[in-house]
Amino acid sequence: MQWDIVIGLEIHVQLATQTKIFSGSSTAYGAEPNTQANAVDLAMPGTLPVPNENAFRYAVMFGLAVNAEIGRRSVFERKNYFYPDLPKGYQTTQLEQPIVGPGYVDVDLANGETKRVRIHHAHLEEDAGKSLHETFFDELGHGMSGIDLNRAGTPLIEVVTEPDMNSAEEAVAFAKKLHSIVTSLGICDGDMSQGSMRFDVNISLKPKGSDQLGTRTETKNLNSFRFMEQAIAHEVERQMDILEDGGRIIQETRLYNGDRDESRSMRTKEEANDYRYFPCPDLLPVVIDDDFIEDARQRLPELPDARKARFKEQYGLNDYDAGLLSGDAKLAAFFEETVEHGKDAKLAANWIQGEFSARLNAEEKTVAESPITGAQLGDLVVRIADNTVSSAGAKKVFEALWTGENDNVDAIIDAKGLKQVSDTGALEAMVDEVLAGMPDQVAQYQNEEDPKKRKKMLGGFMGPLMKASKGQGNPKLFNEILVEKLGG
């Protein structure tokens, strides 16, 4: 039987406020455990929450960026459940009247099509603490779990989509687009390794063409695009095997282990009434007026779609290059700094998408962690464009910049003797010498009538020429001189 895959996402976006959503505790990452949780975060008797205005501002900015309705009156509820890292015994969240209503995001797919993914809503809530298991157990499994409450009370927006995605590719493309939007807005740092964005994936299968949705499962807390893609593939295969064997899918929450490519059931899926929601008695409804919304609108920066269009027009980039370079705000800024110093946008784009990105990926670094600045790469682009250094030599300069051997492009070129020889007189002398030592190859080339074969045979002379020039001869000029000397 053939199946349709149906996917909806719930995305937890940690807001980049300096303090928590209902207290003055810091949200800075990396502090010693339990040093950033105060009496309000723990709901100690006699304490009252005070809403963080910036959290509301960021939520409204997000709503505007995803073409959504803004909830003029939003209400907080208590979601009651018991878990060691939830010290209150409840989570303050929004259910009936969220701050962001229906919206949508248009996503460009690899096949050239555009997919519209509808946003059901996005609501504000507080994060829970964090349970630490591995640190406190020995090899035999004896020990205890540690609880770090630093994260408790950190503001989140939870973005809930409609089940509009039908493949892992579409889900990942949407997740990347959302990541691009929130980082461009500056409302989230987007660092998934630190839990700044976490994805819950709801997956179901239905017979191909059927209008009846199947039973869904939810795979929680995926913190990378790669793990999301793997988890979806894994869960689709698991459900398909069950259904084709005549079994039925249980509505449940599952956890996926990306290192082992395996999942396990966490708990049967709860419904809203299991959490005994009720309005939070400590928080009044929040009214968002026109002035607040307009203020948020004025704060909106250039968003990914607008930046992509500008890159195409301003820098002459094709759709593919513009999409890759505009998607990440920090990469886009790096590209523009490179072009500002290097002038040649296409060459800058090639180097950023090639050598630069490959090195970042290999060392698992972000753009912000790059040891090379856009200005330095721009200086290197200038020297490639003016033929001061060859492509091979440029890679050696890049390596020296990356490792911190020197921070000046021209100084590296001089110190390593990488300056390309472009003196036509000197190059002609080298060509004459090499051709004199290769009479058979010269004759073979001149007797060949097929232009394609002749062009390929030119490569046989380039090796000796580059050796004669100690790798510093200008390949383009060498080629022109060769063609002239050999008679076309």
Side-chain angles (χ1 to χ4, degrees), residues 373-445:
T373 67
Q376 288 173 320
L377 187 58
D379 290 343
L380 179 56
V381 165
V382 168
R383 292 297 170 244
I384 299 168
D386 68 12
N387 292 316
T388 296
V389 66
S390 66
S391 295
K395 290 182 179 181
K396 294 178 181 178
V397 177
F398 181 89
E399 178 68 22
L401 289 170
W402 189 275
T403 57
E405 185 179 328
N406 198 311
D407 62 1
N408 184 278
V409 168
D410 289 337
I412 295 169
I413 292 172
D414 290 340
K416 293 184 175 293
L418 296 173
K419 188 171 289 187
Q420 195 166 235
V421 177
S422 296
D423 181 327
T424 54
L427 295 178
E428 279 193 32
M430 292 182 206
V431 171
D432 289 339
E433 184 179 345
V434 167
L435 294 181
M438 303 175 68
D440 293 342
Q441 289 89 335
V442 170
Q444 187 178 3
Y445 175 89

Side-chain angles (χ1 to χ4, degrees), residues 189-210:
D189 65 21
D191 191 335
M192 290 183 283
S193 68
Q194 296 180 3
S196 295
M197 284 189 77
R198 307 190 296 274
F199 304 94
D200 301 340
V201 184
N202 293 279
I203 302 171
S204 66
L205 299 183
K206 62 185 179 71
K208 195 165 188 65
S210 172

Side-chain angles (χ1 to χ4, degrees), residues 2-3 14 21 33 41 50 53 65 98 108 120 123 128 134 157 180 207 236 271-272 278 366 392 395 458:
Q2 291 186 310
W3 303 92
Q14 191 175 101
I21 189 168
D41 304 323
V50 178
E53 182 177 336
D108 293 331
H120 180 275
H123 60 264
E134 297 83 358
I157 49 172
S180 175
V236 167
E271 301 296 342
F278 64 85
T366 64
K395 290 182 179 181
L458 280 177

Side-chain angles (χ1 to χ4, degrees), residues 160-425:
V160 181
T161 77
E162 298 286 2
D164 288 345
M165 291 152 281
N166 304 110
S167 67
E169 178 205 346
E170 290 181 2
V172 171
F174 170 78
K176 287 182 175 179
K177 182 66 173 285
L178 200 73
H179 181 275
S180 175
I181 290 171
V182 298
T183 53
S184 294
L185 288 170
I187 66 172
C188 175
D189 65 21
D191 191 335
M192 290 183 283
S193 68
Q194 296 180 3
S196 295
M197 284 189 77
R198 307 190 296 274
F199 304 94
D200 301 340
V201 184
N202 293 279
I203 302 171
S204 66
L205 299 183
K206 62 185 179 71
K208 195 165 188 65
S210 172
D211 294 329
Q212 185 69 38
L213 292 175
T215 302
R216 64 185 171 88
T217 64
E218 180 182 32
T219 303
K220 289 191 72 69
N221 290 331
L222 300 167
N223 65 350
S224 79
F225 301 127
R226 180 169 60 88
F227 282 168
M228 178 193 289
E229 186 172 20
Q230 292 173 352
I232 292 172
H234 179 92
E235 180 60 15
V236 167
E237 184 177 359
R238 190 190 73 85
Q239 289 191 23
M240 198 176 293
D241 288 344
I242 292 172
L243 292 171
E244 292 185 349
D245 285 343
R248 67 183 185 88
I249 304 301
I250 298 171
Q251 185 170 329
E252 62 182 349
T253 300
R254 301 184 66 83
L255 291 177
Y256 175 75
N257 186 318
D259 296 325
R260 298 178 182 175
D261 190 28
E262 62 184 28
S263 67
R264 62 178 176 85
S265 178
M266 183 179 176
R267 59 178 179 265
T268 55
K269 182 65 178 174
E270 298 90 347
E271 301 296 342
N273 58 2
D274 292 319
Y275 291 113
R276 296 175 293 116
Y277 282 94
F278 64 85
C280 180
D282 293 337
L283 290 164
L284 293 171
V286 177
V287 176
I288 306 294
D289 62 21
D290 290 342
D291 289 343
F292 192 87
I293 294 173
E294 186 56 33
D295 176 73
R297 194 187 307 278
Q298 293 302 317
R299 294 170 186 262
L300 292 178
E302 184 179 46
L303 294 172
D305 286 347
R307 188 160 56 229
K308 178 180 176 180
R310 180 171 64 82
F311 278 16
K312 290 168 69 174
E313 181 178 353
Q314 182 175 343
Y315 299 117
L317 299 180
N318 60 35
D319 192 76
Y320 178 80
D321 288 345
L324 285 179
L325 292 168
S326 64
D328 181 276
K330 290 185 174 64
L331 185 64
F334 186 93
F335 166 71
E336 295 209 85
E337 184 184 6
T338 302
V339 175
E340 182 183 349
H341 288 80
K343 309 307 178 188
D344 190 323
K346 181 59 179 174
L347 191 54
N350 289 343
W351 268 82
I352 290 173
Q353 293 176 80
E355 203 75 20
F356 179 73
S357 293
R359 197 59 179 266
L360 288 179
N361 292 335
E363 298 187 14
E364 297 184 342
K365 282 182 163 64
T366 64
V367 175
E369 295 168 330
S370 166
I372 293 180
T373 67
Q376 288 173 320
L377 187 58
D379 290 343
L380 179 56
V381 165
V382 168
R383 292 297 170 244
I384 299 168
D386 68 12
N387 292 316
T388 296
V389 66
S390 66
S391 295
K395 290 182 179 181
K396 294 178 181 178
V397 177
F398 181 89
E399 178 68 22
L401 289 170
W402 189 275
T403 57
E405 185 179 328
N406 198 311
D407 62 1
N408 184 278
V409 168
D410 289 337
I412 295 169
I413 292 172
D414 290 340
K416 293 184 175 293
L418 296 173
K419 188 171 289 187
Q420 195 166 235
V421 177
S422 296
D423 181 327
T424 54

Side-chain angles (χ1 to χ4, degrees), residues 48-49 75-78 80 90 92 278-285:
L48 285 173
V75 175
F76 284 97
E77 282 94 358
R78 288 185 179 180
N80 297 274
Y90 63 85
T92 306
F278 64 85
C280 180
D282 293 337
L283 290 164
L284 293 171

